[in-house]
Amino acid sequence: MKRRFAHVRLAGLGVDRLLREQALADGIPAATVAPVRGRPVVIARNRAAAAAGVAVNQQLADARALCATLVVASVDPEADRRSLLALVEQCQRIAPWVGIDRDTGAHGHGLFLDITGCSHLYGGEDGMVRALSRLLARGAIRGRIAIADTPGAAWAWSHSGRRQSPILAPGEQEHALASLPVAALRLPDRDAQTLERLGILSIGALSAIPRHALRMRFGPGIGQRLDQAAGREPEPIEPLPPRSPMAAWADFAEPMVAPEGVVATLRGLLPRLALRLARELAGARRLELSVRRVDGSRDVARIGTARATRDVSHLAGLFAPAIERIDPSPGIERIWLEAIEVELLDGQPKPRRPGRDGGAGSRQGNSGHLAWRMAEGDALATLIDRLVSRLGADRVLRPALRESHLPEEQSEYRRAIDAPDGSPSPACGSAQADRPVRLFRRPEPIRFPAASHGSAAGPPSGFFWRGAFRRLSRIGDCERVIGPWWRSPPVADEIRDYFRVETESGERLWLVRSGDEAVRWSVHGIFG
Amino acid sequence: MFCSHDSSLATLRTRLADLGGLRPDEILFTGLATLDSRLPGGGLACGALHEFASEREADGAATALLAFLAGRLAEEAGSPILWVTRRDDLFPPGILRFGCPAHRLLLVRCRTRPEVLWAMEEGLRSPAVAGVVGDTESLNFTWSRRLQLAARRARRPALLLRDRAAPLEASAAATRWRVVSVPSAPGAGGGPGAPRWHLELVRCRGGAPRNWRVGFDASRGVLAESPGFAKVAPGVAETVLRGRR
């Protein structure tokens, strides 16, 4: 079988990422820069920038002078590498052997694919080029694709400016490459410059020179490149191993229509997934169960946990409410269970925490006489997971105290799934003042007859609230709360006067007077 | 068998405990001797449902008492309390004053009553929490029975806070209480003093109904007997003592 290779030349991963992250439209010029000898130099640019006159290896200052609206970002090799690896993973769905091109310059990127025997799956090599283009377009990555008999020829063809078609027919590469410049052979810079000085500009001219002369002057490298491009010498690519997903799946020869079948299959898949996780010493934080039916439709159920876990029964319990919503008809042909987010679990049994009261040395966790039921941290995370799976992560909360002038901001709630272990709040000054056990979200206004009108000194002696008339028997001191000055008005301008009061029947309320010209009295909370 | 009266009583007690009665490490003590001594077992039984009704809408007494009990439970057991509610006005700095620090609470906000019941059962089933507090207006008999069974199976207390003026229905709770705020002694500057409540044990399995007048000592964080009646307008005392059944 004739071998065929494809090369994808990635024009500028950094620029593509910049356009994606900042959601820039196509016509906006963008470039990535890196410091060269202390000065920022343009490394890659998009078409709009090139049209404005920005060139590679140009100083950024010059580029900005030519194009004032240029959007610039620094090169980020780590992010580029991550994008490249993600792209490799995608390309592995098209052809199994995908390798990274190491011959492109310091800031360029490329991929080699060995597509021998794969193109018929896409209806020919045209179809394969289209599939690859679609893949790049989906990721908003610019690239040029070429297919040829050898990696060297494909590399040269993808870098070539003038070409009718990205595909070089078998055996055509010698003829096609002859007119390309010498640099298309991936020669070291020094050799390429020397050849240029000597007047040897095209590959055709280079191949006409007798080999022994080239070897004497430049060493064996050039001859090797020529042979590799022509196909006389093999050039292997180093494929990256495919990343096997942390998943377990089941295919059904007969489409499954019974709803209990999903539950039963899940119970069989979870131990297999747990075994895979165990081999990596990991636990799952987020899992996804996807179901594919015979008519091509899919359904997905997702769960998350507060703590990485492999516990099969716990995960089965978390999936139970989500699975109930999956309708198997007209029939399920595949069920796929994957751990999307995975964390390392240390296999050590968790030691009993010495003191949960954070700091009070004398109180160990088991001094209370009911403490034989002291919980392990895992049991709490399990409970939180179960509550969250039915109610939602925003409704299982951990309260905490906060410093603030305004009473309604003196407490905050954090999602328990983010912080399963509560920690004692730092001692807040607000904890010293007397505060109500219930604080209404919005103070409830009170009405009072004009006779007992609230004077500037204190609250009215009798008023209507929640449909009943209440007469005050005790009125406490005034606590003035002034809005924090560092906030913007109207919060900053607020002045509230709070009074602890008691009615004749014994209810203890928190009255508040607010407003300057239009004085309003309301009940903000209830005391114990 | 022919031992002294005391030791035979003690033997009987241990035998009862072994047969499923109350063990000393399954009692939540309120810390008020006159209260505890009247309850079977010497305190609130852990494996049971206890109901605290408030009757008046704008009365924070039941909330405060439950905050106190939750704080005691969390401290004795060293693990958090699950507080299940449909309301959104629980205020942690106020709860803290009654002995329940914020980091001991795990708050669950539900939208419907079945969700409250489910969350309370989940909490009782888990070894991670010391007890469950449920904040709901009313609970029919079937649900109270379910909660009582769940609490008994888990040997953890379930405390129910019934906060609205809903008619009292039949309930399977081990103890049912009515908690009402009463006028307090004058505090600093003529304002309200320390919280004072009228506690009524309406129904108790193995005990007799009784009333108490208790106050809360915030400086020490304990309940205290508070028998003295402050000067109260006539008519209020009758309303308080002769509430509807």
Side-chain angles (χ1 to χ4, degrees), chain B residues 164-200:
Chain B
R164 294 284 165 81
L168 277 114
E169 300 164 349
S171 164
T175 60
R176 298 182 77 184
W177 301 79
R178 242 179 85 227
V179 190
V180 183
S181 290
V182 289
S184 58
R196 199 198 246 168
W197 309 315
H198 173 84
L199 285 186
E200 187 179 327

Side-chain angles (χ1 to χ4, degrees), chain B residues 208-220:
Chain B
R210 205 168 180 271
N211 294 343
W212 292 267
R213 207 41 84 87
V214 298
F216 185 74
D217 184 350
S219 57
R220 285 177 24 227

Side-chain angles (χ1 to χ4, degrees), chain B residues 220-239:
Chain B
R220 285 177 24 227
V222 293
L223 292 177
E225 187 87 65
S226 176
F229 239 102
K231 219 45 103 63
V232 156
V236 173
E238 330 234 303
T239 323

Side-chain angles (χ1 to χ4, degrees), chain A residues 390, chain B residues 47-51 113-125 132 139-158 160 170-174 205:
Chain A
R390 172 155 169 181
Chain B
L49 171 70
H50 304 277
E51 212 180 278
R113 274 188 288 171
E115 278 181 8
V116 170
L117 180 70
W118 174 82
M120 286 179 76
E121 282 184 326
E122 282 295 323
L124 285 171
R125 239 180 264 143
V132 172
L139 201 68
N140 64 29
F141 181 76
T142 322
W143 283 359
S144 66
R145 182 118 184 87
R146 268 174 71 171
L147 281 177
Q148 163 70 19
L149 284 175
R152 192 164 75 195
R153 215 175 301 127
R155 284 142 87 206
R156 284 175 182 82
L160 197 64
S171 164
R205 206 179 291 157

Side-chain angles (χ1 to χ4, degrees), chain B residues 61-87:
Chain B
T63 313
L65 179 64
L66 275 177
F68 167 73
L69 290 174
R72 294 248 61 239
L73 191 55
E75 192 166 294
E76 292 293 343
S79 41
I81 303 283
L82 194 72
W83 191 295
V84 185
T85 175
R86 285 174 65 190
R87 298 165 64 160

